[in-house]
């Protein structure tokens, strides 16, 4: 049996009170986050105070549309924010990114029902409200590579009943709203995102996150055991279509926003490196390492690579905001170039300073562990290269009509 679709999203604005973002506070905010990043990394503890600082600066709701009482920041602004946060504490930046992306998706195409949306925004005016989509599962892996979720939504009269397990759920311990990707138990299953408040009975966060990098993101498992969800708390509920188109603009936000985050990590590594080279004065040299041409050239190469990647990401983000045709399609390639530049920069910094770069006493080893996490985000390098390679080969294929008879 196919049940009635949920009520359409109501574009009515939320009550006033969302603080406007203050870009002038970004440098101080970066420094404040950096001051405690090592502590949270060692303990793998969630940076609640860092999230409160981000909220106080008006950044968590920066992408809320003006029709909902928000400032309506675009992708270029978001890139700037995430690069600054990434330089301070990438775990804070990643959790912030998930919330910003959610508000941006609602701004592009309203899909949240009026009730939960008003609830979210009213609370967000007073305190941090974190939101994230929970999609990855133990058996399925990442859903972008195909397949149906094992998490099941069963229709129970006046509500859905949600059961399943989600893994790699970034910020799980601090989320207020979870967008749980699940399939219905209908003869012809539909899939969609169910809007679940984290205080619902039946939700358990298992502390399974024991990662090399981004340890403070607390991307733990979330277990859902017969969690009740109102019938209208669901978005995008439809029959799976393997050939269906993807939200390319949403993908561009993900690609460029997260790339900016990791470029921020690389800039933090570069900043530490330059300070170390100025301070380190071997007795045999009698001068700081920063005076040696070898180190000057290496730092110059890092600066050029990061600067080029930053300008690419910023320019493409501005093009996406302007609706330039083809801009969103270029974002995966920019992610590949930008994250590779970030990883290479940090690896070069480690190679330059040797053992000092790998000791826990210095932050460079943390920056290395964190920047490597850029490889796991969608789209991953292999899918980007495959898609772009096929497209290039298709463009370069000979025209049978032009070559006929030769």
């Amino acid at each position: 049996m196919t049940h009635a679709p949920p009520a359409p999203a109501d574009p009515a604005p939320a009550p006033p009170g969302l603080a406007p973002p203050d870009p002038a506070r970004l440098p101080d905010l970066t420094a404040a986050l950096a001051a405690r990043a090592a502590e949270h990394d060692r303990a793998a503890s969630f940076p609640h105070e860092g999230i409160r600082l981000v909220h106080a600066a008006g950044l968590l709701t920066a992408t809320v549309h003006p029709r909902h009482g928000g400032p309506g920041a675009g992708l270029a602004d978001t890139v700037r924010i995430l690069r600054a946060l990434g330089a301070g504490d990438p775990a804070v930046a990643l959790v912030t990114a998930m919330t910003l992306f959610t508000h941006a998706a609602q701004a592009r195409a309203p899909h949240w029902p009026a009730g939960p949306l008003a609830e979210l925004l009213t609370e967000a005016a007073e305190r941090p409200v974190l939101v994230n989509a929970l999609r990855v599962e133990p058996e399925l892996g990442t859903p972008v590579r195909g397949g149906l979720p094992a998490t099941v939504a069963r229709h129970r009269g006046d509500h859905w009943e949600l059961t399943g397990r989600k893994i790699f759920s970034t910020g799980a311990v601090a989320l207020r709203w979870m967008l749980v990707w699940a399939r219905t138990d209908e003869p012809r299953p539909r899939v969609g995102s169910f809007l679940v408040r984290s205080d619902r009975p039946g939700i358990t966060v298992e502390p399974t996150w024991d990662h090399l990098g981004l340890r403070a993101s607390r991307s733990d498992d979330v277990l859902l055991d017969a969690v009740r969800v109102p019938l209208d708390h669901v978005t995008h509920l439809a029959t799976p279509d393997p050939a269906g188109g993807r939200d390319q603009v949403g993908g561009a936000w993900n690609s460029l926003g997260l790339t900016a985050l990791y470029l921020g990590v690389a800039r933090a590594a570069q900043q530490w490196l330059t300070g170390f080279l100025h301070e380190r004065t071997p007795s045999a040299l009698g001068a700081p390492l920063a005076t040696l041409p070898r180190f000057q050239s290496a730092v110059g190469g890092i600066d050029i690579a990061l600067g080029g990647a930053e300008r690419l990401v910023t320019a493409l983000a501005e093009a996406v905001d302007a609706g330039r045709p083809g801009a969103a399609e270029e974002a995966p390639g920019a992610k590949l170039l930008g994250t590779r530049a970030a990883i290479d920069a940090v690896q070069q910094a480690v190679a330059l300073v040797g053992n000092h770069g790998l000791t826990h006493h210095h932050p460079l080893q943390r920056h290395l562990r964190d920047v490597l996490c850029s490889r796991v985000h969608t789209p991953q390098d292999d899918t980007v290269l495959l898609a772009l390679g096929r497209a290039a080969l298709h463009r370069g294929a000979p025209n049978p009509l032009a070559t006929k008879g030769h």
Side-chain angles (χ1 to χ4, degrees), residues 149-217:
T151 302
V152 177
R154 296 179 173 86
H155 187 259
R156 299 291 193 234
D158 65 345
H159 67 277
W160 296 100
E161 185 181 273
L162 214 56
T163 298
R165 175 188 287 267
K166 296 296 182 180
I167 62 175
F168 303 147
S169 305
T170 299
V173 296
L175 295 178
R176 183 58 160 172
W177 286 90
M178 302 174 176
L179 282 65
V180 181
W181 193 57
R183 61 179 173 88
T184 65
D185 65 339
E186 299 160 329
R188 189 180 181 189
R190 294 178 292 165
V191 295
S193 294
F194 292 77
L195 311 180
V196 184
R197 275 178 53 120
S198 60
D199 57 358
R200 284 276 183 180
I203 296 178
T204 303
V205 176
E206 283 195 358
T208 53
W209 184 245
D210 187 16
H211 215 250
L212 184 69
L214 283 168
R215 291 169 51 76
S217 71

Side-chain angles (χ1 to χ4, degrees), residues 16-22 25 55-62 69-71 124-125:
L18 294 180
D22 185 359
R25 297 175 64 175
H55 174 262
L59 302 180
L60 269 182
T61 49

Side-chain angles (χ1 to χ4, degrees), residues 46-60:
F46 189 81
H48 292 281
E49 79 292 334
I51 294 297
R52 286 193 291 269
L53 291 174
V54 172
H55 174 262
L59 302 180
L60 269 182

Side-chain angles (χ1 to χ4, degrees), residues 74-132:
L75 179 53
D77 291 327
T78 301
V79 160
R80 189 176 305 112
I81 291 168
L82 293 178
R83 189 166 62 231
L85 299 185
D89 186 341
V92 172
L94 185 60
V95 177
T96 299
M98 299 300 105
T99 300
L100 290 175
F101 295 166
T102 300
H103 289 309
Q106 173 66 17
R108 290 193 305 277
H111 53 279
W112 278 56
L117 178 62
E119 187 178 341
L120 183 162
L121 295 176
T122 299
E123 188 176 1
E126 302 295 330
R127 61 185 64 85
V129 177
L130 300 178
V131 191
N132 196 5

Side-chain angles (χ1 to χ4, degrees), residues 281-299:
T281 305
S283 58
L285 178 63
L289 293 177
T291 63
L292 295 180
R294 178 171 75 88
F295 288 100
Q296 293 168 352
S297 296
V299 171

